[in-house]
Amino acid sequence: MATALPVSKLVALLIRQIARPTSRYLQKKALQSPFFRNKICMPPAQLYNWCEVKAKMWVMNLGRPVNIPSLNETMAIELGANLLGEGIIFSIAAAILFLEYSRQVRKETAKESARKEEMDTLNYTIRELYFQAERQDAQIRELMRTLCELESHVTKKPKKCIVDGDVHMHEEEPPVFEGGLLMEAIEYLHKEHRKR
């Protein structure tokens, strides 16, 4: 914030320095062209003079001015050219600021839309992964049921088989399968299913 004041003074000084040659050019044009002098340059100067006198009288508490003298032609041309020059420079500066602001807004809008699109893509991916996990879970349950049924066909003794929380009695597997790779895989799948 400390640099804002000197920068603003510098910008104001720059505008005045640029406005001086512009106002000199406008003064020359006003002297050459009666239309420019009488219709464009002098009316804003007379209006500015009228407003300035009224404001000074009101601020100094001197009452209402009855008759405000008009500026002579030379002073009106000089003041009008200065006003027009500064007005033109101010308009250009305002247009530049507006263009910069609109550029920043477009940039922020593009950044926000890219972020929103990325969030939508991530949400879609998460939903797809969730549905895929649900499908795989259903397939694992179906495989567990099928495995449990296969065990019951191969076994001779009744054995408990837990699928989806339901306890089914099946015949016990023959000793040939005890301790084998198939049994280890089945036990592992049973343990994993119980953890859920």
Side-chain angles (χ1 to χ4, degrees), residues 163-181:
V163 177
D164 292 337
D166 297 334
V167 178
H168 303 283
M169 293 299 289
H170 301 287
E171 294 183 358
E172 191 70 42
E173 64 272 356
V176 176
F177 290 102
E178 286 183 13
L181 185 61

Side-chain angles (χ1 to χ4, degrees), residues 4 18 24 34 36-37 42 44 54 59-60 62 72-73 93 106 112-114 124 151 172 184 190 194:
I18 294 172
R24 281 192 210 118
F36 185 74
R37 175 178 54 241
M42 287 178 62
K54 279 244 191 208
V59 168
M60 291 184 209
L62 296 175
N72 64 22
E73 187 173 318
R106 282 193 307 269
E112 183 66 25
S113 66
Y124 177 75
E151 280 181 350
E172 191 70 42
E184 288 179 16
H190 278 294
R194 285 186 202 133

Side-chain angles (χ1 to χ4, degrees), residues 34-51 71 76-77 79-81 83-84:
F35 175 78
F36 185 74
R37 175 178 54 241
N38 294 330
K39 301 292 182 189
I40 296 174
C41 195
M42 287 178 62
Q46 295 294 353
L47 178 66
Y48 178 81
N49 179 52
W50 182 81
C51 292
L71 294 173
I77 289 172
L79 181 61
L83 286 173
L84 286 174

Side-chain angles (χ1 to χ4, degrees), residues 126-137 139:
I126 289 171
R127 278 195 303 270
E128 285 297 314
L129 288 173
Y130 172 76
F131 290 137
Q132 185 178 3
E134 287 293 318
R135 282 192 301 271
Q136 289 175 346
D137 190 40
Q139 289 171 347

Side-chain angles (χ1 to χ4, degrees), residues 177-192:
F177 290 102
E178 286 183 13
L181 185 61
L182 181 62
M183 289 312 297
E184 288 179 16
I186 292 170
E187 288 175 14
Y188 175 76
L189 288 173
H190 278 294
K191 286 178 187 175
E192 287 298 314

